[in-house]
Amino acid sequence: IRDLTVTGVQSVLFRSPPAPEVQREKAVALWDFVSTNHSELGMLVNDVVTIYEKSSAEWWFGTVNGREFGFFPPTYVRLLPS
């Protein structure tokens, strides 16, 4: 919120527009993936995964259904069309 004052006009408060939401790639889980430690992202078949980073060819970083975050193997998912 910012205060815009113009000479001879009453002060008016304007709310800045919200920042545009970053469009992230999404994928669907093809198989269950059971995490073996706290940094991995467990998922069930058909879970929707939001991808935050394609860290390497072996591990990507994302979240399942907006819940937990962690690394997962990209071979377990299929990218959804944008």
Side-chain angles (χ1 to χ4, degrees):
I1 297 177
R2 58 192 162 105
D3 184 12
L4 179 64
T5 304
V6 179
T7 306
V9 179
Q10 184 178 10
S11 176
V12 180
L13 293 178
F14 287 92
R15 182 176 301 273
S16 299
E21 201 171 298
V22 174
Q23 293 294 334
R24 301 199 183 274
E25 285 186 277
K26 294 190 184 288
V28 64
L30 301 173
W31 301 281
D32 293 350
F33 176 69
V34 179
S35 60
T36 58
N37 63 56
H38 68 278
S39 67
E40 294 178 354
L41 180 67
M43 65 183 82
L44 301 175
V45 67
N46 292 324
D47 275 348
V48 174
V49 181
T50 302
I51 300 163
Y52 279 76
E53 182 181 338
K54 293 180 177 178
S55 309
S56 70
E58 293 84 26
W59 294 100
W60 290 356
F61 185 78
T63 182
V64 172
N65 300 326
R67 296 189 319 261
E68 304 169 31
F69 286 83
F71 291 95
F72 62 94
T75 55
Y76 277 65
V77 299
R78 178 179 44 84
L79 290 173
L80 294 172
S82 335

